[in-house]
Amino acid sequence: MTTQENTQTLPAFHIVIPARYASQRFPQKLMADLGGKPVLQWVYELSLKAGAQSVTVATDHDVIYQAALEFGASVVMTRDDHENGTERLAEVADKMGWKADEIIVNVQGDEPLLPVALIHSCVAALNRDKEAEMATVACSIDDVADFFNPNVVKVVCDEMQRALYFSRAPIPWDRDGFADIDRKEGSLPVDFPALRHIGLYVYRASLLAKYADLPMSPLERWEKLEQLRFLHQGIKVQVALADGLPTHGVDTPEDLEKLRDQLSF
């Protein structure tokens, strides 16, 4: 994993944890028990360790609102018509009155073991690139099956480490080397620049303020990748590089059981 940035060198930033109660694959997963406390509480506590100016849980459901209050979180009730976590972040930023240049980190409520170092790396990347309005994270892809897996989102970057494109397709393409490659057990070329996108996002408040007015892009509609909406509008997205893939979050009951085993609960 990336080396943790010295918090004294980081700019001030806020963390918002969008916390939706309903989930198609795993209803109420944020309230599921993990070692004697809800998954959401793990996420809140790791966020506190990041040294943010504020950590806020943003939800539209009374159960999560009350649970967050019980474990001492700062919590904001948001509208129930948001299509995604970015919209919920935008509402919180507006309610909090954060200034245009303030930095807001979107930490998913189902990532109880997200490394704090990733948060720092992503914040630092955005802070270094004054023209970028948001940042995200990627790591190298070593497994050929992952590279050809449409559920593994890939990203290609320019020389300034800004995203050129995100796709479920295998990009970039080795025109000569992939002619006869075994997509399950083959090997990627040495030093092949394949990057896997990790869904951690950091925004400037100014971008969140205009997010609601950004229409869905045609590429986003086909790929089902929200980040393509930003690229379609010419918004610069800085990409921080991680040394490896962080522990998977809680998408299914099986994921929760794996985490319990990992933590010996």
Side-chain angles (χ1 to χ4, degrees):
M1 197 53 58
T2 51
T3 301
Q4 185 164 331
E5 298 279 343
N6 186 332
T7 55
Q8 293 182 346
T9 66
L10 289 172
F13 63 96
H14 303 278
I15 291 177
V16 178
I17 306 170
R20 194 165 62 95
Y21 186 69
S23 174
Q24 290 183 342
R25 287 188 289 178
F26 189 0
Q28 306 174 34
K29 64 181 179 179
L30 301 190
M31 293 294 97
D33 180 80
L34 180 61
K37 55 189 177 184
V39 169
L40 180 61
Q41 185 173 350
W42 281 82
V43 177
Y44 180 75
E45 291 174 355
L46 77 82
S47 296
L48 290 178
K49 297 175 183 177
Q53 270 191 310
S54 67
V55 178
T56 305
V57 173
T59 188
D60 60 359
H61 200 283
D62 285 335
V63 169
I64 289 183
Y65 186 90
Q66 292 301 323
L69 288 179
E70 287 177 9
F71 60 71
S74 171
V75 57
V76 171
M77 184 69 80
T78 59
R79 302 197 317 269
D80 62 3
D81 60 346
H82 291 308
E83 293 185 1
N84 52 53
T86 308
E87 289 186 2
R88 206 173 303 281
L89 251 70
E91 182 183 351
V92 172
D94 181 62
K95 284 185 173 181
M96 295 296 193
W98 289 329
K99 297 178 181 178
D101 61 347
E102 293 195 71
I103 294 175
I104 300 119
V105 182
N106 180 349
V107 173
Q108 299 297 326
D110 58 2
E111 296 282 352
L113 298 184
L114 179 72
V116 170
L118 271 190
I119 297 173
H120 291 171
S121 178
C122 204
V123 169
L126 181 60
N127 186 53
R128 287 192 296 266
D129 189 343
K130 303 305 180 184
E131 294 183 6
E133 295 183 71
M134 62 180 288
T136 189
V137 186
C139 66
S140 295
I141 299 176
D142 299 318
D143 187 272
V144 71
D146 285 344
F147 183 68
F148 286 100
N149 183 350
N151 294 317
V152 174
V153 177
K154 276 70 67 174
V155 57
V156 290
C157 302
D158 65 15
E159 65 178 359
M160 297 185 69
Q161 208 54 43
R162 292 173 180 164
L164 289 169
Y165 191 62
F166 297 88
S167 183
R168 298 183 183 279
I171 57 173
W173 185 262
D174 181 358
R175 188 195 65 174
D176 300 323
F178 287 168
D180 300 309
I181 192 170
D182 185 327
R183 299 191 177 199
K184 293 183 178 179
E185 298 181 358
S187 299
L188 294 174
V190 176
D191 297 329
F192 188 66
L195 293 175
R196 176 177 186 148
H197 179 229
I198 299 171
L200 174 68
Y201 294 101
V202 177
Y203 305 92
R204 299 194 194 278
S206 56
L207 176 57
L208 291 175
K210 62 185 180 184
Y211 177 78
D213 296 326
L214 300 179
M216 178 182 289
S217 73
L219 293 171
E220 175 190 1
R221 181 166 63 89
W222 288 106
E223 293 256 23
K224 299 296 188 290
L225 297 174
E226 179 193 353
Q227 57 269 40
L228 292 176
R229 184 178 310 189
F230 301 105
L231 293 185
H232 187 76
Q233 297 293 328
I235 292 165
K236 295 178 176 63
V237 180
Q238 180 61 223
V239 180
L241 296 181
D243 293 335
L245 190 66
T247 300
H248 189 64
V250 181
D251 290 332
T252 66
E254 292 74 22
D255 292 334
L256 181 63
E257 289 304 318
K258 288 178 181 178
L259 286 180
R260 285 172 175 164
D261 290 342
Q262 182 176 338
L263 297 172
S264 300
F265 294 132

